[in-house]
């Protein structure tokens, strides 16, 4: 099973997180399948590769709580719903 979760980068006391698609059995700093964005909680900056996130969500990837909140704030799930209704009709 694949999850979208945060991978810690940066130095001590200055954490930056990459948002990655990673196998559930891997550890936090383990090998990821693909980098799909980053999150800087100190500067409150976020970059999301929306097509890559939508691809993994459509394939059944589950976001963690924090990644879900970040994606929700960026309205990724709204785009997922819009894309899904295009294919259903």
């Amino acid at each position: 099973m694949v999850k979208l979760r945060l991978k810690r980068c940066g130095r001590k006391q200055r954490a930056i997180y990459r948002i990655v698609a990673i196998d559930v059995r891997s550890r936090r700093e383990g090998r990821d399948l693909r980098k799909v964005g980053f999150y800087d909680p100190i500067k409150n900056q976020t970059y999301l590769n929306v097509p890559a996130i939508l691809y993994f969500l459509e394939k059944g990837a589950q976001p963690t709580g924090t990644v879900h909140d970040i994606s929700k704030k960026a309205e990724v799930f709204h785009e997922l719903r819009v894309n899904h209704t295009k294919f259903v009709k």
Side-chain angles (χ1 to χ4, degrees), residues 3-88:
K3 279 205 175 234
L4 297 175
R5 66 184 188 201
L6 298 175
K7 184 175 182 179
R8 191 178 197 279
C9 301
R11 61 178 202 250
K12 189 166 51 172
Q13 302 295 321
R14 293 279 302 165
I16 296 174
Y17 297 93
R18 286 188 181 141
I19 301 171
V20 296
I22 194 166
D23 187 30
V24 172
R25 297 167 288 186
S26 297
R27 57 195 179 116
R28 184 181 68 184
E29 275 82 24
R31 184 176 170 156
D32 51 80
L33 300 172
R34 186 165 177 194
K35 296 173 185 73
V36 294
F38 82 88
Y39 171 60
D40 185 355
I42 296 169
K43 295 181 182 177
N44 202 16
Q45 291 179 335
T46 305
Y47 168 76
L48 299 174
N49 184 352
V50 177
I53 292 173
L54 292 177
Y55 170 78
F56 281 107
L57 289 174
E58 288 170 354
K59 296 293 182 184
Q62 296 294 316
T64 60
T66 307
V67 174
H68 182 273
D69 293 342
I70 292 169
S71 302
K72 191 175 180 182
K73 207 177 275 188
E75 297 182 351
V76 171
F77 297 112
H78 177 71
E79 293 183 32
L80 180 67
R81 205 172 305 122
V82 168
N83 288 345
H84 183 67
T85 56
K86 286 180 184 176
F87 296 119
V88 172

